[in-house]
Amino acid sequence: AQKITQTQPGMFVQEKEAVTLDCTYDTSDPSYGLFWYKQPSSGEMIFLIYQGSYDQQNATEGRYSLNFQKARKSANLVISASQLGDSAMYFCAMKKIDISSGSARQLTFGSGTQLTVLP
Amino acid sequence: NAGVTQTPKFRILKIGQSMTLQCTQDMNHNYMYWYRQDPGMGLKLIYYSVGAGITDKGEVPNGYNVSRSTTEDFPLRLELAAPSQTSVYFCASSDLAGVNNEQFFGPGTRLTVL
């Protein structure tokens, strides 16, 4: 079974500083996708960034970048210049091809990291 | 586009009661999903659908039923509510099911079973 591990239940960062949220995954499949979602206290799930297993470059989206180290099976989220509005729960998730269906239907989530940005 | 909408936002049930959580998407997506999120945890897949009339079980299907009569709607049914079903329920949809296809989430339904 695929597994996502987020080892930091909580993180604190000073406003305007950068922060790295860790994510490791476990799969032997060559094709998979890694996603990061933000869940603010209001509860909705907001898609942040995607990294494909075959992508040669690390994904970037504005202040978000993904530090993808394939050999180490890690996909850490880097948030630069933290803002107070970045305070939220962050989830790492993975999709891979289901052998029986030939498609990637299920997102498997980690347990999340609660980020608090301090003023 | 409204995206994925869910009703109700909150609900309190007594043990043994039943209810239906509604989910509608207006993006013409073929794939729809139901997840539950227990306190302090990530989301777990309950059921999914690959199109109208086709549904299948996810990781934690026990105690739930689904149907998909139209592309837009994917209701989740709880027949005999139990305290273990206290959770936040998210509906999601995607147009395709590749490894790179994002799932779009609804705002969630917070359910408490007492």
Side-chain angles (χ1 to χ4, degrees), chain A residues 32-33 35 37 39 43 45 47 50 91 95 103-107 109-111, chain B residues 33 35 37 40-43 45 48 50 90 97-103 105:
Chain A
Y32 52 89
F35 299 77
Y37 284 86
Q39 187 178 43
M45 297 289 287
F47 166 74
Y50 163 80
F91 289 99
K95 287 177 77 178
S103 61
R105 296 169 180 174
Q106 180 170 344
L107 262 176
F109 285 82
S111 56
Chain B
Y33 313 83
Y35 292 88
Q37 183 183 24
M41 304 294 288
L43 281 66
L45 184 65
Y48 65 92
V50 303
F90 288 97
V99 292
N100 61 332
N101 294 118
E102 176 192 348
Q103 291 183 8
F105 285 83

PDB file of all heavy atoms in Angstrom, chain A residues 32-33 35 37 39 43 45 47 50 91 95 103-107 109-111, chain B residues 33 35 37 40-43 45 48 50 90 97-103 105:
ATOM      1  N   TYR A  32       3.934   8.373 -10.752  1.00  0.00           N
ATOM      2  CA  TYR A  32       3.088   8.832  -9.657  1.00  0.00           C
ATOM      3  C   TYR A  32       3.095  10.348  -9.647  1.00  0.00           C
ATOM      4  O   TYR A  32       3.920  11.000 -10.298  1.00  0.00           O
ATOM      5  CB  TYR A  32       3.543   8.277  -8.308  1.00  0.00           C
ATOM      6  CG  TYR A  32       5.005   8.487  -8.004  1.00  0.00           C
ATOM      7  CD1 TYR A  32       5.444   9.630  -7.357  1.00  0.00           C
ATOM      8  CD2 TYR A  32       5.947   7.529  -8.377  1.00  0.00           C
ATOM      9  CE1 TYR A  32       6.784   9.821  -7.100  1.00  0.00           C
ATOM     10  CE2 TYR A  32       7.287   7.709  -8.120  1.00  0.00           C
ATOM     11  CZ  TYR A  32       7.705   8.853  -7.471  1.00  0.00           C
ATOM     12  OH  TYR A  32       9.040   9.046  -7.215  1.00  0.00           O
ATOM     13  N   GLY A  33       2.138  10.915  -8.926  1.00  0.00           N
ATOM     14  CA  GLY A  33       2.054  12.364  -8.802  1.00  0.00           C
ATOM     15  C   GLY A  33       1.982  12.750  -7.337  1.00  0.00           C
ATOM     16  O   GLY A  33       1.365  12.055  -6.527  1.00  0.00           O
ATOM     17  N   PHE A  35       1.098  15.892  -4.600  1.00  0.00           N
ATOM     18  CA  PHE A  35       0.310  17.112  -4.461  1.00  0.00           C
ATOM     19  C   PHE A  35       0.482  17.670  -3.047  1.00  0.00           C
ATOM     20  O   PHE A  35       0.636  16.922  -2.087  1.00  0.00           O
ATOM     21  CB  PHE A  35      -1.184  16.822  -4.668  1.00  0.00           C
ATOM     22  CG  PHE A  35      -1.539  16.278  -6.019  1.00  0.00           C
ATOM     23  CD1 PHE A  35      -1.303  14.955  -6.342  1.00  0.00           C
ATOM     24  CD2 PHE A  35      -2.150  17.091  -6.956  1.00  0.00           C
ATOM     25  CE1 PHE A  35      -1.639  14.442  -7.589  1.00  0.00           C
ATOM     26  CE2 PHE A  35      -2.494  16.590  -8.207  1.00  0.00           C
ATOM     27  CZ  PHE A  35      -2.237  15.270  -8.518  1.00  0.00           C
ATOM     28  N   TYR A  37      -1.735  20.274  -0.501  1.00  0.00           N
ATOM     29  CA  TYR A  37      -2.969  21.014  -0.270  1.00  0.00           C
ATOM     30  C   TYR A  37      -2.830  21.802   1.023  1.00  0.00           C
ATOM     31  O   TYR A  37      -2.192  21.362   1.981  1.00  0.00           O
ATOM     32  CB  TYR A  37      -4.169  20.070  -0.145  1.00  0.00           C
ATOM     33  CG  TYR A  37      -4.669  19.509  -1.451  1.00  0.00           C
ATOM     34  CD1 TYR A  37      -4.105  18.361  -1.999  1.00  0.00           C
ATOM     35  CD2 TYR A  37      -5.717  20.112  -2.139  1.00  0.00           C
ATOM     36  CE1 TYR A  37      -4.572  17.833  -3.192  1.00  0.00           C
ATOM     37  CE2 TYR A  37      -6.190  19.595  -3.335  1.00  0.00           C
ATOM     38  CZ  TYR A  37      -5.612  18.456  -3.854  1.00  0.00           C
ATOM     39  OH  TYR A  37      -6.074  17.943  -5.033  1.00  0.00           O
ATOM     40  N   GLN A  39      -5.100  23.588   4.083  1.00  0.00           N
ATOM     41  CA  GLN A  39      -6.423  23.598   4.712  1.00  0.00           C
ATOM     42  C   GLN A  39      -6.434  24.647   5.818  1.00  0.00           C
ATOM     43  O   GLN A  39      -5.971  24.408   6.927  1.00  0.00           O
ATOM     44  CB  GLN A  39      -6.776  22.216   5.279  1.00  0.00           C
ATOM     45  CG  GLN A  39      -8.208  22.136   5.788  1.00  0.00           C
ATOM     46  CD  GLN A  39      -8.572  20.761   6.316  1.00  0.00           C
ATOM     47  OE1 GLN A  39      -7.794  20.117   7.020  1.00  0.00           O
ATOM     48  NE2 GLN A  39      -9.760  20.290   5.971  1.00  0.00           N
ATOM     49  N   GLY A  43     -11.581  25.271   6.812  1.00  0.00           N
ATOM     50  CA  GLY A  43     -11.821  23.877   6.480  1.00  0.00           C
ATOM     51  C   GLY A  43     -11.693  23.455   5.033  1.00  0.00           C
ATOM     52  O   GLY A  43     -11.597  22.261   4.765  1.00  0.00           O
ATOM     53  N   MET A  45     -10.185  22.634   1.291  1.00  0.00           N
ATOM     54  CA  MET A  45      -8.925  22.093   0.794  1.00  0.00           C
ATOM     55  C   MET A  45      -8.517  22.892  -0.439  1.00  0.00           C
ATOM     56  O   MET A  45      -9.231  22.928  -1.437  1.00  0.00           O
ATOM     57  CB  MET A  45      -9.081  20.619   0.414  1.00  0.00           C
ATOM     58  CG  MET A  45      -9.438  19.718   1.578  1.00  0.00           C
ATOM     59  SD  MET A  45      -8.071  19.515   2.723  1.00  0.00           S
ATOM     60  CE  MET A  45      -6.989  18.454   1.778  1.00  0.00           C
ATOM     61  N   PHE A  47      -5.705  23.461  -3.366  1.00  0.00           N
ATOM     62  CA  PHE A  47      -4.568  22.887  -4.087  1.00  0.00           C
ATOM     63  C   PHE A  47      -3.461  23.929  -4.212  1.00  0.00           C
ATOM     64  O   PHE A  47      -3.705  25.078  -4.572  1.00  0.00           O
ATOM     65  CB  PHE A  47      -5.017  22.431  -5.477  1.00  0.00           C
ATOM     66  CG  PHE A  47      -3.882  22.129  -6.404  1.00  0.00           C
ATOM     67  CD1 PHE A  47      -3.127  20.989  -6.247  1.00  0.00           C
ATOM     68  CD2 PHE A  47      -3.574  22.998  -7.444  1.00  0.00           C
ATOM     69  CE1 PHE A  47      -2.080  20.705  -7.102  1.00  0.00           C
ATOM     70  CE2 PHE A  47      -2.535  22.734  -8.304  1.00  0.00           C
ATOM     71  CZ  PHE A  47      -1.782  21.588  -8.133  1.00  0.00           C
ATOM     72  N   TYR A  50       1.876  20.775  -7.682  1.00  0.00           N
ATOM     73  CA  TYR A  50       1.948  19.387  -8.146  1.00  0.00           C
ATOM     74  C   TYR A  50       3.348  19.085  -8.686  1.00  0.00           C
ATOM     75  O   TYR A  50       3.977  19.936  -9.328  1.00  0.00           O
ATOM     76  CB  TYR A  50       0.909  19.167  -9.252  1.00  0.00           C
ATOM     77  CG  TYR A  50       1.163  17.919 -10.062  1.00  0.00           C
ATOM     78  CD1 TYR A  50       0.773  16.679  -9.565  1.00  0.00           C
ATOM     79  CD2 TYR A  50       1.822  17.973 -11.291  1.00  0.00           C
ATOM     80  CE1 TYR A  50       1.022  15.524 -10.283  1.00  0.00           C
ATOM     81  CE2 TYR A  50       2.068  16.821 -12.010  1.00  0.00           C
ATOM     82  CZ  TYR A  50       1.674  15.612 -11.512  1.00  0.00           C
ATOM     83  OH  TYR A  50       1.921  14.473 -12.226  1.00  0.00           O
ATOM     84  N   PHE A  91      -1.233  19.466   3.766  1.00  0.00           N
ATOM     85  CA  PHE A  91      -1.248  18.029   3.503  1.00  0.00           C
ATOM     86  C   PHE A  91      -0.463  17.712   2.240  1.00  0.00           C
ATOM     87  O   PHE A  91      -0.627  18.370   1.202  1.00  0.00           O
ATOM     88  CB  PHE A  91      -2.679  17.524   3.320  1.00  0.00           C
ATOM     89  CG  PHE A  91      -3.486  17.513   4.581  1.00  0.00           C
ATOM     90  CD1 PHE A  91      -4.375  18.540   4.866  1.00  0.00           C
ATOM     91  CD2 PHE A  91      -3.365  16.469   5.487  1.00  0.00           C
ATOM     92  CE1 PHE A  91      -5.130  18.529   6.023  1.00  0.00           C
ATOM     93  CE2 PHE A  91      -4.117  16.450   6.657  1.00  0.00           C
ATOM     94  CZ  PHE A  91      -4.999  17.483   6.924  1.00  0.00           C
ATOM     95  N   LYS A  95      -0.786  10.333  -5.836  1.00  0.00           N
ATOM     96  CA  LYS A  95      -1.613   9.493  -6.709  1.00  0.00           C
ATOM     97  C   LYS A  95      -0.680   8.585  -7.487  1.00  0.00           C
ATOM     98  O   LYS A  95       0.361   9.021  -7.971  1.00  0.00           O
ATOM     99  CB  LYS A  95      -2.398  10.338  -7.709  1.00  0.00           C
ATOM    100  CG  LYS A  95      -3.542  11.116  -7.116  1.00  0.00           C
ATOM    101  CD  LYS A  95      -4.209  11.963  -8.180  1.00  0.00           C
ATOM    102  CE  LYS A  95      -5.084  11.153  -9.076  1.00  0.00           C
ATOM    103  NZ  LYS A  95      -5.776  11.950 -10.099  1.00  0.00           N
ATOM    104  N   SER A 103      -5.897   3.377 -13.993  1.00  0.00           N
ATOM    105  CA  SER A 103      -5.964   4.827 -13.818  1.00  0.00           C
ATOM    106  C   SER A 103      -5.581   5.185 -12.392  1.00  0.00           C
ATOM    107  O   SER A 103      -5.482   4.308 -11.526  1.00  0.00           O
ATOM    108  CB  SER A 103      -7.374   5.331 -14.133  1.00  0.00           C
ATOM    109  OG  SER A 103      -8.322   4.759 -13.265  1.00  0.00           O
ATOM    110  N   ALA A 104      -5.364   6.454 -12.182  1.00  0.00           N
ATOM    111  CA  ALA A 104      -4.927   6.939 -10.859  1.00  0.00           C
ATOM    112  C   ALA A 104      -6.102   7.649 -10.213  1.00  0.00           C
ATOM    113  O   ALA A 104      -6.299   8.841 -10.420  1.00  0.00           O
ATOM    114  CB  ALA A 104      -3.725   7.860 -11.012  1.00  0.00           C
ATOM    115  N   ARG A 105      -6.883   6.916  -9.449  1.00  0.00           N
ATOM    116  CA  ARG A 105      -8.116   7.481  -8.923  1.00  0.00           C
ATOM    117  C   ARG A 105      -7.977   7.998  -7.502  1.00  0.00           C
ATOM    118  O   ARG A 105      -8.614   8.955  -7.127  1.00  0.00           O
ATOM    119  CB  ARG A 105      -9.212   6.413  -8.955  1.00  0.00           C
ATOM    120  CG  ARG A 105      -9.545   5.984 -10.363  1.00  0.00           C
ATOM    121  CD  ARG A 105     -10.425   4.766 -10.374  1.00  0.00           C
ATOM    122  NE  ARG A 105     -10.738   4.379 -11.753  1.00  0.00           N
ATOM    123  CZ  ARG A 105     -11.394   3.281 -12.085  1.00  0.00           C
ATOM    124  NH1 ARG A 105     -11.817   2.466 -11.140  1.00  0.00           N
ATOM    125  NH2 ARG A 105     -11.639   2.988 -13.330  1.00  0.00           N
ATOM    126  N   GLN A 106      -7.177   7.341  -6.720  1.00  0.00           N
ATOM    127  CA  GLN A 106      -7.180   7.631  -5.290  1.00  0.00           C
ATOM    128  C   GLN A 106      -6.032   8.543  -4.908  1.00  0.00           C
ATOM    129  O   GLN A 106      -4.888   8.314  -5.287  1.00  0.00           O
ATOM    130  CB  GLN A 106      -7.090   6.337  -4.494  1.00  0.00           C
ATOM    131  CG  GLN A 106      -7.098   6.553  -2.984  1.00  0.00           C
ATOM    132  CD  GLN A 106      -7.251   5.267  -2.221  1.00  0.00           C
ATOM    133  OE1 GLN A 106      -7.639   4.252  -2.773  1.00  0.00           O
ATOM    134  NE2 GLN A 106      -6.954   5.288  -0.934  1.00  0.00           N
ATOM    135  N   LEU A 107      -6.353   9.574  -4.158  1.00  0.00           N
ATOM    136  CA  LEU A 107      -5.349  10.403  -3.515  1.00  0.00           C
ATOM    137  C   LEU A 107      -5.111   9.843  -2.124  1.00  0.00           C
ATOM    138  O   LEU A 107      -6.055   9.698  -1.359  1.00  0.00           O
ATOM    139  CB  LEU A 107      -5.837  11.839  -3.376  1.00  0.00           C
ATOM    140  CG  LEU A 107      -5.408  12.891  -4.392  1.00  0.00           C
ATOM    141  CD1 LEU A 107      -6.096  14.211  -4.097  1.00  0.00           C
ATOM    142  CD2 LEU A 107      -3.907  13.062  -4.435  1.00  0.00           C
ATOM    143  N   PHE A 109      -3.391  10.597   1.430  1.00  0.00           N
ATOM    144  CA  PHE A 109      -2.939  11.769   2.162  1.00  0.00           C
ATOM    145  C   PHE A 109      -2.041  11.403   3.337  1.00  0.00           C
ATOM    146  O   PHE A 109      -2.202  10.355   3.960  1.00  0.00           O
ATOM    147  CB  PHE A 109      -4.140  12.539   2.720  1.00  0.00           C
ATOM    148  CG  PHE A 109      -4.893  13.322   1.692  1.00  0.00           C
ATOM    149  CD1 PHE A 109      -5.834  12.714   0.877  1.00  0.00           C
ATOM    150  CD2 PHE A 109      -4.666  14.675   1.542  1.00  0.00           C
ATOM    151  CE1 PHE A 109      -6.532  13.432  -0.076  1.00  0.00           C
ATOM    152  CE2 PHE A 109      -5.365  15.413   0.595  1.00  0.00           C
ATOM    153  CZ  PHE A 109      -6.296  14.784  -0.210  1.00  0.00           C
ATOM    154  N   GLY A 110      -1.109  12.318   3.650  1.00  0.00           N
ATOM    155  CA  GLY A 110      -0.393  12.241   4.904  1.00  0.00           C
ATOM    156  C   GLY A 110      -1.252  12.809   6.015  1.00  0.00           C
ATOM    157  O   GLY A 110      -2.379  13.263   5.785  1.00  0.00           O
ATOM    158  N   SER A 111      -0.714  12.804   7.235  1.00  0.00           N
ATOM    159  CA  SER A 111      -1.491  13.253   8.394  1.00  0.00           C
ATOM    160  C   SER A 111      -1.453  14.767   8.586  1.00  0.00           C
ATOM    161  O   SER A 111      -2.168  15.297   9.432  1.00  0.00           O
ATOM    162  CB  SER A 111      -0.996  12.556   9.655  1.00  0.00           C
ATOM    163  OG  SER A 111       0.394  12.781   9.815  1.00  0.00           O
TER     164      SER A 111
ATOM    165  N   TYR B  33     -15.558  11.802  -5.893  1.00  0.00           N
ATOM    166  CA  TYR B  33     -14.994  11.078  -4.756  1.00  0.00           C
ATOM    167  C   TYR B  33     -15.638  11.570  -3.459  1.00  0.00           C
ATOM    168  O   TYR B  33     -16.002  12.733  -3.339  1.00  0.00           O
ATOM    169  CB  TYR B  33     -13.484  11.349  -4.654  1.00  0.00           C
ATOM    170  CG  TYR B  33     -12.719  11.222  -5.948  1.00  0.00           C
ATOM    171  CD1 TYR B  33     -12.673  12.274  -6.859  1.00  0.00           C
ATOM    172  CD2 TYR B  33     -12.032  10.046  -6.265  1.00  0.00           C
ATOM    173  CE1 TYR B  33     -11.965  12.164  -8.048  1.00  0.00           C
ATOM    174  CE2 TYR B  33     -11.319   9.932  -7.446  1.00  0.00           C
ATOM    175  CZ  TYR B  33     -11.292  10.999  -8.333  1.00  0.00           C
ATOM    176  OH  TYR B  33     -10.588  10.877  -9.507  1.00  0.00           O
ATOM    177  N   TYR B  35     -14.477  11.633   0.593  1.00  0.00           N
ATOM    178  CA  TYR B  35     -13.439  11.400   1.592  1.00  0.00           C
ATOM    179  C   TYR B  35     -13.993  11.748   2.976  1.00  0.00           C
ATOM    180  O   TYR B  35     -14.894  12.576   3.102  1.00  0.00           O
ATOM    181  CB  TYR B  35     -12.221  12.306   1.356  1.00  0.00           C
ATOM    182  CG  TYR B  35     -11.420  12.017   0.115  1.00  0.00           C
ATOM    183  CD1 TYR B  35     -11.742  12.603  -1.102  1.00  0.00           C
ATOM    184  CD2 TYR B  35     -10.308  11.178   0.171  1.00  0.00           C
ATOM    185  CE1 TYR B  35     -10.983  12.365  -2.240  1.00  0.00           C
ATOM    186  CE2 TYR B  35      -9.542  10.935  -0.961  1.00  0.00           C
ATOM    187  CZ  TYR B  35      -9.884  11.532  -2.159  1.00  0.00           C
ATOM    188  OH  TYR B  35      -9.125  11.285  -3.277  1.00  0.00           O
ATOM    189  N   GLN B  37     -12.451  12.993   6.868  1.00  0.00           N
ATOM    190  CA  GLN B  37     -11.279  13.477   7.581  1.00  0.00           C
ATOM    191  C   GLN B  37     -11.571  13.454   9.070  1.00  0.00           C
ATOM    192  O   GLN B  37     -12.366  14.243   9.571  1.00  0.00           O
ATOM    193  CB  GLN B  37     -10.904  14.896   7.152  1.00  0.00           C
ATOM    194  CG  GLN B  37      -9.635  15.397   7.833  1.00  0.00           C
ATOM    195  CD  GLN B  37      -9.305  16.842   7.467  1.00  0.00           C
ATOM    196  OE1 GLN B  37     -10.172  17.620   7.091  1.00  0.00           O
ATOM    197  NE2 GLN B  37      -8.028  17.203   7.565  1.00  0.00           N
ATOM    198  N   GLY B  40      -7.378  15.652  13.278  1.00  0.00           N
ATOM    199  CA  GLY B  40      -5.925  15.541  13.270  1.00  0.00           C
ATOM    200  C   GLY B  40      -5.361  14.583  12.245  1.00  0.00           C
ATOM    201  O   GLY B  40      -4.178  14.233  12.300  1.00  0.00           O
ATOM    202  N   MET B  41      -6.177  14.154  11.301  1.00  0.00           N
ATOM    203  CA  MET B  41      -5.735  13.156  10.325  1.00  0.00           C
ATOM    204  C   MET B  41      -5.894  13.685   8.909  1.00  0.00           C
ATOM    205  O   MET B  41      -6.555  14.694   8.670  1.00  0.00           O
ATOM    206  CB  MET B  41      -6.573  11.875  10.484  1.00  0.00           C
ATOM    207  CG  MET B  41      -6.561  11.283  11.868  1.00  0.00           C
ATOM    208  SD  MET B  41      -4.941  10.670  12.324  1.00  0.00           S
ATOM    209  CE  MET B  41      -4.852   9.216  11.289  1.00  0.00           C
ATOM    210  N   GLY B  42      -5.294  12.941   7.980  1.00  0.00           N
ATOM    211  CA  GLY B  42      -5.505  13.233   6.565  1.00  0.00           C
ATOM    212  C   GLY B  42      -6.819  12.642   6.096  1.00  0.00           C
ATOM    213  O   GLY B  42      -7.550  12.011   6.845  1.00  0.00           O
ATOM    214  N   LEU B  43      -7.108  12.856   4.825  1.00  0.00           N
ATOM    215  CA  LEU B  43      -8.367  12.377   4.257  1.00  0.00           C
ATOM    216  C   LEU B  43      -8.242  10.925   3.833  1.00  0.00           C
ATOM    217  O   LEU B  43      -7.196  10.497   3.336  1.00  0.00           O
ATOM    218  CB  LEU B  43      -8.740  13.224   3.039  1.00  0.00           C
ATOM    219  CG  LEU B  43      -9.363  14.590   3.296  1.00  0.00           C
ATOM    220  CD1 LEU B  43      -8.403  15.547   3.964  1.00  0.00           C
ATOM    221  CD2 LEU B  43      -9.866  15.182   1.992  1.00  0.00           C
ATOM    222  N   LEU B  45     -10.335   7.859   1.518  1.00  0.00           N
ATOM    223  CA  LEU B  45     -11.334   7.696   0.472  1.00  0.00           C
ATOM    224  C   LEU B  45     -12.409   6.715   0.901  1.00  0.00           C
ATOM    225  O   LEU B  45     -12.116   5.586   1.295  1.00  0.00           O
ATOM    226  CB  LEU B  45     -10.660   7.214  -0.811  1.00  0.00           C
ATOM    227  CG  LEU B  45     -11.542   7.086  -2.041  1.00  0.00           C
ATOM    228  CD1 LEU B  45     -12.065   8.455  -2.477  1.00  0.00           C
ATOM    229  CD2 LEU B  45     -10.788   6.413  -3.187  1.00  0.00           C
ATOM    230  N   TYR B  48     -15.850   6.174  -4.662  1.00  0.00           N
ATOM    231  CA  TYR B  48     -15.629   7.028  -5.811  1.00  0.00           C
ATOM    232  C   TYR B  48     -16.504   6.553  -6.974  1.00  0.00           C
ATOM    233  O   TYR B  48     -17.074   5.452  -6.941  1.00  0.00           O
ATOM    234  CB  TYR B  48     -14.152   7.067  -6.218  1.00  0.00           C
ATOM    235  CG  TYR B  48     -13.591   5.761  -6.703  1.00  0.00           C
ATOM    236  CD1 TYR B  48     -13.596   5.415  -8.053  1.00  0.00           C
ATOM    237  CD2 TYR B  48     -13.027   4.849  -5.811  1.00  0.00           C
ATOM    238  CE1 TYR B  48     -13.071   4.220  -8.492  1.00  0.00           C
ATOM    239  CE2 TYR B  48     -12.505   3.650  -6.244  1.00  0.00           C
ATOM    240  CZ  TYR B  48     -12.519   3.336  -7.578  1.00  0.00           C
ATOM    241  OH  TYR B  48     -12.001   2.148  -8.023  1.00  0.00           O
ATOM    242  N   VAL B  50     -16.652   6.729 -11.428  1.00  0.00           N
ATOM    243  CA  VAL B  50     -15.949   7.080 -12.672  1.00  0.00           C
ATOM    244  C   VAL B  50     -16.905   7.591 -13.732  1.00  0.00           C
ATOM    245  O   VAL B  50     -16.488   7.909 -14.845  1.00  0.00           O
ATOM    246  CB  VAL B  50     -15.139   5.891 -13.217  1.00  0.00           C
ATOM    247  CG1 VAL B  50     -14.148   5.407 -12.162  1.00  0.00           C
ATOM    248  CG2 VAL B  50     -16.024   4.746 -13.641  1.00  0.00           C
ATOM    249  N   PHE B  90     -15.649  15.302   2.793  1.00  0.00           N
ATOM    250  CA  PHE B  90     -15.331  16.104   1.619  1.00  0.00           C
ATOM    251  C   PHE B  90     -15.706  15.350   0.358  1.00  0.00           C
ATOM    252  O   PHE B  90     -15.384  14.172   0.193  1.00  0.00           O
ATOM    253  CB  PHE B  90     -13.836  16.427   1.564  1.00  0.00           C
ATOM    254  CG  PHE B  90     -13.385  17.420   2.576  1.00  0.00           C
ATOM    255  CD1 PHE B  90     -12.826  16.994   3.771  1.00  0.00           C
ATOM    256  CD2 PHE B  90     -13.503  18.776   2.338  1.00  0.00           C
ATOM    257  CE1 PHE B  90     -12.399  17.917   4.718  1.00  0.00           C
ATOM    258  CE2 PHE B  90     -13.073  19.702   3.278  1.00  0.00           C
ATOM    259  CZ  PHE B  90     -12.525  19.270   4.467  1.00  0.00           C
ATOM    260  N   ALA B  97      -8.407  10.807 -14.601  1.00  0.00           N
ATOM    261  CA  ALA B  97      -7.838  10.083 -13.460  1.00  0.00           C
ATOM    262  C   ALA B  97      -6.399   9.702 -13.744  1.00  0.00           C
ATOM    263  O   ALA B  97      -5.985   8.566 -13.521  1.00  0.00           O
ATOM    264  CB  ALA B  97      -8.667   8.845 -13.140  1.00  0.00           C
ATOM    265  N   GLY B  98      -5.638  10.669 -14.242  1.00  0.00           N
ATOM    266  CA  GLY B  98      -4.213  10.440 -14.391  1.00  0.00           C
ATOM    267  C   GLY B  98      -3.481  10.841 -13.136  1.00  0.00           C
ATOM    268  O   GLY B  98      -4.051  11.472 -12.238  1.00  0.00           O
ATOM    269  N   VAL B  99      -2.207  10.492 -13.063  1.00  0.00           N
ATOM    270  CA  VAL B  99      -1.436  10.825 -11.862  1.00  0.00           C
ATOM    271  C   VAL B  99      -1.288  12.329 -11.704  1.00  0.00           C
ATOM    272  O   VAL B  99      -1.028  12.822 -10.615  1.00  0.00           O
ATOM    273  CB  VAL B  99      -0.039  10.162 -11.881  1.00  0.00           C
ATOM    274  CG1 VAL B  99      -0.175   8.659 -11.752  1.00  0.00           C
ATOM    275  CG2 VAL B  99       0.757  10.544 -13.114  1.00  0.00           C
ATOM    276  N   ASN B 100      -1.472  13.084 -12.793  1.00  0.00           N
ATOM    277  CA  ASN B 100      -1.265  14.523 -12.712  1.00  0.00           C
ATOM    278  C   ASN B 100      -2.565  15.312 -12.614  1.00  0.00           C
ATOM    279  O   ASN B 100      -2.547  16.536 -12.624  1.00  0.00           O
ATOM    280  CB  ASN B 100      -0.493  15.012 -13.935  1.00  0.00           C
ATOM    281  CG  ASN B 100      -1.256  14.725 -15.215  1.00  0.00           C
ATOM    282  OD1 ASN B 100      -2.028  13.775 -15.287  1.00  0.00           O
ATOM    283  ND2 ASN B 100      -1.058  15.538 -16.234  1.00  0.00           N
ATOM    284  N   ASN B 101      -3.697  14.623 -12.516  1.00  0.00           N
ATOM    285  CA  ASN B 101      -4.963  15.341 -12.525  1.00  0.00           C
ATOM    286  C   ASN B 101      -5.386  15.744 -11.117  1.00  0.00           C
ATOM    287  O   ASN B 101      -5.618  14.901 -10.253  1.00  0.00           O
ATOM    288  CB  ASN B 101      -6.060  14.494 -13.172  1.00  0.00           C
ATOM    289  CG  ASN B 101      -5.789  14.259 -14.639  1.00  0.00           C
ATOM    290  OD1 ASN B 101      -5.615  13.128 -15.074  1.00  0.00           O
ATOM    291  ND2 ASN B 101      -5.709  15.326 -15.405  1.00  0.00           N
ATOM    292  N   GLU B 102      -5.526  17.047 -10.941  1.00  0.00           N
ATOM    293  CA  GLU B 102      -5.926  17.601  -9.652  1.00  0.00           C
ATOM    294  C   GLU B 102      -7.357  17.221  -9.330  1.00  0.00           C
ATOM    295  O   GLU B 102      -8.212  17.124 -10.211  1.00  0.00           O
ATOM    296  CB  GLU B 102      -5.806  19.120  -9.720  1.00  0.00           C
ATOM    297  CG  GLU B 102      -6.264  19.873  -8.496  1.00  0.00           C
ATOM    298  CD  GLU B 102      -6.381  21.355  -8.759  1.00  0.00           C
ATOM    299  OE1 GLU B 102      -5.893  21.812  -9.807  1.00  0.00           O
ATOM    300  OE2 GLU B 102      -6.978  22.055  -7.933  1.00  0.00           O
ATOM    301  N   GLN B 103      -7.619  16.984  -8.053  1.00  0.00           N
ATOM    302  CA  GLN B 103      -8.986  16.799  -7.584  1.00  0.00           C
ATOM    303  C   GLN B 103      -9.441  18.108  -6.940  1.00  0.00           C
ATOM    304  O   GLN B 103      -8.724  18.693  -6.130  1.00  0.00           O
ATOM    305  CB  GLN B 103      -9.067  15.647  -6.582  1.00  0.00           C
ATOM    306  CG  GLN B 103      -8.821  14.287  -7.229  1.00  0.00           C
ATOM    307  CD  GLN B 103      -8.976  13.126  -6.278  1.00  0.00           C
ATOM    308  OE1 GLN B 103      -9.416  13.281  -5.143  1.00  0.00           O
ATOM    309  NE2 GLN B 103      -8.626  11.927  -6.737  1.00  0.00           N
ATOM    310  N   PHE B 105     -11.966  20.061  -4.513  1.00  0.00           N
ATOM    311  CA  PHE B 105     -12.713  19.702  -3.316  1.00  0.00           C
ATOM    312  C   PHE B 105     -13.840  20.677  -3.026  1.00  0.00           C
ATOM    313  O   PHE B 105     -13.740  21.885  -3.284  1.00  0.00           O
ATOM    314  CB  PHE B 105     -11.779  19.662  -2.107  1.00  0.00           C
ATOM    315  CG  PHE B 105     -10.901  18.446  -2.069  1.00  0.00           C
ATOM    316  CD1 PHE B 105      -9.724  18.406  -2.799  1.00  0.00           C
ATOM    317  CD2 PHE B 105     -11.259  17.332  -1.333  1.00  0.00           C
ATOM    318  CE1 PHE B 105      -8.912  17.273  -2.792  1.00  0.00           C
ATOM    319  CE2 PHE B 105     -10.458  16.196  -1.314  1.00  0.00           C
ATOM    320  CZ  PHE B 105      -9.289  16.162  -2.042  1.00  0.00           C
TER     321      PHE B 105
END
